[in-house]
Amino acid sequence: SGGMGTDQRCDNGLAPVLDAGMDTRAARANGTFSFRFSRQDGEQGLRGLTARLPQGLLASVRDVPLCSNAAANAGSCSAGSRIGTVDAKAGAGDPFVLERKGEVFLTEGYQGGAYGLAVKVRPIAGPFRGGMELSPIVVRQAIHVDRRTAQVTAVSDPFPLIHHGVPLRVREVTVSVNRDRFMLNPSDCTAKQVGADIASDQGTVSNTVNGFQAAGCKNLAFKPKLGLRLTGRKQVRTGKHPGIRATVTQKGIPEAGIEKPQVRLPKSLALDVDNAQALCEFEDGTRPDLEERCPKGSIVGRARAVSPLLNDPLVGNVYFVKNVRRSSSGNLIRTLPMIVVALRGEIAVNLVGESNVKRGKLVNTFDEVPDAPITRFNLNIAGGKNGILAVTRTRKALINLCAKPRGHVAEADIDGQNGKRHDRDIRMKTPCAKRNNNRAANKRKAAKRKAAAKRRANR
């Protein structure tokens, strides 16, 4: 009762093979990324490709001059924007190899992507050396960066099937991204995948994956520094609304990325939802383009992130967004609002910080931070009239933060992408007037006052 196996391809189907990965597995190491896909003779022709890189496998676009779309479409990108090469085989029977390697260029944003690629090849009519060289073929790809995870996806335009009347029966394509210090491995060593959706000229789409895993993540250092400061000298008493400034610094590429920071504020501070000017609806605040949907009144701060992979910092607004969770019975339950940091620049990233209360302390957690190196991150939450933080009162009395300016301590638990953890208590700086603790100066002032009083008495 044996049936005919699918590997016999009697239906002229498509069963492409994918082979992709870095030439080094070392965590946070630079290397060459190769992406090879192929089909067997007799299978349906190749028509298109969507490639998904594993989370944390990123590229350094810093100092790479982007080719314009006009130059890319014309096949005239400069050598400065070149990031790799391409080899191809084509034809029926024994395929022939293109005698001249093609080139891969990084371009400005294309088809809604943050960046684009231009793959340029020069086909040769005939399998022999000295065959007629045709004008170059340029195939474009849009490079999309997921706003929550920073995962990279490349979506190609349809592959040409005929060029100058010559059928292009592509059998195998190998792209090597080999620009020096361009591709960077993750700092998370869990098992991942390189994925591809390969489309045929008959509408078939084959989904295939290739295993991917970095190594040596535990060897990476993880020692982020976090500073916290309250702002607003007139906002230090019970019922007032101080602002808060948080600063995170790291060493960048040599250090593992941050995966999950959690900060517990002192009991003297609480979330004051009712004082906000407006909240963004959950459905709008969780969309990638929330800045186009959330009301201006839901903006409660600003943020700035610096990465060694980018030319310029990412900056953007912080939004106060309604939040819900699903109960065990499937019902949606309102919870404390969250903040969404909408960083914008060369790429767009949305960081989501959820709030809850544990043992009387306000806890803010940023879960699923992208595995991307940073050197500095600043988060400023505004205070004052519509501030979302409030100074609370204790059971015993009202509070003045400046009564004990060194007594307000936050607790930070920061998990790294490599499994390491950095916990510390942080003394929050308060916006109190400086006290003059210079004893010598005080003595001089007292002596002057005493001398002046003595002179007045002797008149």
Side-chain angles (χ1 to χ4, degrees), residues 128-362:
F128 309 108
R129 288 186 181 276
M132 182 178 66
E133 184 173 296
L134 304 177
S135 62
I137 297 173
V138 177
V139 180
R140 302 295 309 277
Q141 289 89 36
I143 303 299
H144 300 275
V145 181
D146 187 274
R147 296 193 177 192
R148 283 295 302 271
T149 65
Q151 184 177 14
V152 176
T153 301
V155 181
S156 78
D157 285 351
F159 301 158
L161 300 178
I162 297 178
H163 187 59
H164 289 287
V166 178
L168 300 176
R169 307 181 69 176
V170 177
R171 293 274 295 279
E172 179 181 312
V173 177
T174 301
V175 176
S176 296
V177 182
N178 54 15
R179 186 185 180 101
D180 186 44
R181 305 184 69 82
F182 184 73
M183 295 300 297
L184 182 71
N185 266 333
S187 64
D188 173 8
C189 286
T190 58
K192 305 176 187 295
Q193 291 179 333
V194 180
D197 300 336
I198 302 174
S200 78
D201 56 1
Q202 298 181 34
T204 301
V205 177
S206 177
N207 310 112
T208 182
V209 296
N210 207 172
F212 181 96
Q213 189 169 18
C217 293
K218 293 292 185 181
N219 298 328
L220 297 175
F222 183 67
K223 295 181 179 180
K225 295 181 180 179
L226 171 63
L228 294 172
R229 175 189 293 272
L230 296 175
T231 62
R233 286 193 176 185
K234 297 181 179 181
Q235 305 293 329
V236 296
R237 296 179 181 273
T238 298
K240 296 295 185 178
H241 299 88
I244 188 168
R245 294 178 182 172
T247 302
V248 179
T249 55
Q250 284 193 279
K251 294 182 178 180
I253 292 176
E255 195 170 351
I258 294 173
E259 181 183 23
K260 179 182 176 181
Q262 184 178 88
V263 177
R264 293 181 292 278
L265 295 179
K267 291 184 178 180
S268 54
L269 297 171
L271 195 64
D272 190 353
V273 177
D274 296 331
N275 196 58
Q277 183 177 345
L279 274 80
C280 183
E281 295 296 328
F282 177 80
E283 293 77 10
D284 294 326
T286 52
R287 289 181 62 92
D289 57 346
L290 79 160
E291 70 272 22
E292 299 175 8
R293 299 173 177 273
C294 292
K296 290 185 178 180
S298 65
I299 298 174
V300 295
R302 291 282 287 177
R304 181 176 184 268
V306 179
S307 172
L309 303 185
L310 301 173
N311 292 291
D312 300 306
L314 302 178
V315 296
N317 292 322
V318 181
Y319 293 86
F320 204 30
V321 180
K322 295 179 182 179
N323 197 10
V324 297
R325 67 176 178 84
R326 192 172 296 277
S327 67
S328 56
S329 59
N331 296 323
L332 293 178
I333 301 174
R334 288 282 298 272
T335 64
L336 286 179
M338 56 186 174
I339 59 172
V340 180
V341 182
L343 296 171
R344 300 294 182 262
E346 294 166 70
I347 62 172
V349 176
N350 294 341
L351 302 176
V352 178
E354 297 195 348
S355 300
N356 58 30
V357 177
K358 293 182 179 180
R359 297 180 180 178
K361 294 184 177 183
L362 178 62

Side-chain angles (χ1 to χ4, degrees), residues 396-412:
K396 297 180 180 180
L398 301 177
I399 290 179
N400 180 349
L401 296 179
C402 291
K404 294 182 179 180
R406 297 178 59 84
H408 306 284
V409 178
E411 305 164 34

